[in-house]
Amino acid sequence: GHIYSIEAHPRTFCALLKTCELNRLTNVTPLHYALSEKLGDVWISDLPNSEENSISDVFSNDQAVSVPAIDLDTLVASQGIQRIALLKLNIEGAERTVIKGINSCASQIDHIAIACHDFRGDGYRTRQPVIEFLQDHGFKVIERRHDPRVYVRDHIHGIRTS
């Protein structure tokens, strides 16, 4: 198979490139983008704790860097991707924005795993919109509501049924 690994943060993207090089991962295409609902530029914060970084459409402070943004429909078309066996998204609260950019390519996705971050607080309430998106696009939704790990309970999985 072939892997398209999309990473927004410039430093993490450099680490991704180095990992691919050191491990001779010739079946991986690293792409430096922030997934979004449209083409353009966005700002990603550059905080010491990388788990606190987030994406914004507007410049918010001097601890942010500009990165190119792309919607998944455009990315899939530009790469000539015909089928997506697994789409995994762990995008630290940007789920609501990204799913708005998945329309024409949704039917090409067999399995999807989206890490929502509702457990982090009100600003991250994306679980329900993700579930609705998956249901609206013909996926059977699988949740792990009883997992003892709070973050795992926010992982939403979908299997193509139609």
Side-chain angles (χ1 to χ4, degrees):
H2 196 86
I3 298 167
Y4 293 86
S5 184
I6 304 154
E7 176 54 52
H9 198 282
R11 219 179 11 241
T12 307
F13 182 72
C14 286
L16 171 63
L17 290 174
K18 191 71 169 171
T19 298
C20 291
E21 176 189 336
L22 290 173
N23 292 287
R24 297 184 184 112
L25 301 177
T26 58
N27 66 328
V28 177
T29 299
L31 299 168
H32 185 212
Y33 290 110
L35 282 179
S36 187
E37 63 185 291
K38 61 184 187 257
L39 288 170
D41 290 319
V42 295
W43 295 92
I44 187 167
S45 53
D46 188 23
L47 302 171
N49 179 357
S50 63
E51 291 182 7
E52 294 177 359
N53 287 329
S54 62
I55 301 281
S56 175
D57 287 339
V58 294
F59 178 75
S60 57
N61 62 50
D62 57 353
Q63 286 187 309
V65 292
S66 177
V67 296
I70 193 168
D71 60 275
L72 194 65
D73 286 339
T74 300
L75 185 130
V76 166
S78 71
Q79 295 294 319
I81 299 169
Q82 299 299 309
R83 177 178 167 255
I84 302 168
L86 172 65
L87 174 65
K88 177 187 172 283
L89 299 173
N90 190 343
I91 47 183
E92 307 306 320
E95 300 83 30
R96 189 184 307 258
T97 302
V98 171
I99 61 176
K100 291 178 185 174
I102 304 173
N103 294 297
S104 59
C105 74
S107 63
Q108 296 168 254
I109 303 168
D110 296 336
H111 300 86
I112 188 167
I114 301 178
C116 297
H117 294 78
D118 292 31
F119 67 93
R120 292 183 69 187
D122 288 338
Y124 293 92
R125 299 287 182 217
T126 60
R127 193 173 192 282
Q128 193 56 42
V130 165
I131 290 170
E132 291 168 8
F133 166 82
L134 292 174
Q135 291 170 336
D136 291 347
H137 287 85
F139 289 92
K140 175 185 174 188
V141 174
I142 299 169
E143 302 177 69
R144 294 173 63 183
R145 291 180 183 224
H146 302 293
D147 194 288
R149 296 162 294 180
V150 64
Y151 64 91
V152 173
R153 292 193 300 259
D154 278 346
H155 289 190
I156 308 300
H157 304 264
I159 298 173
R160 165 87 34 224
T161 59
S162 61

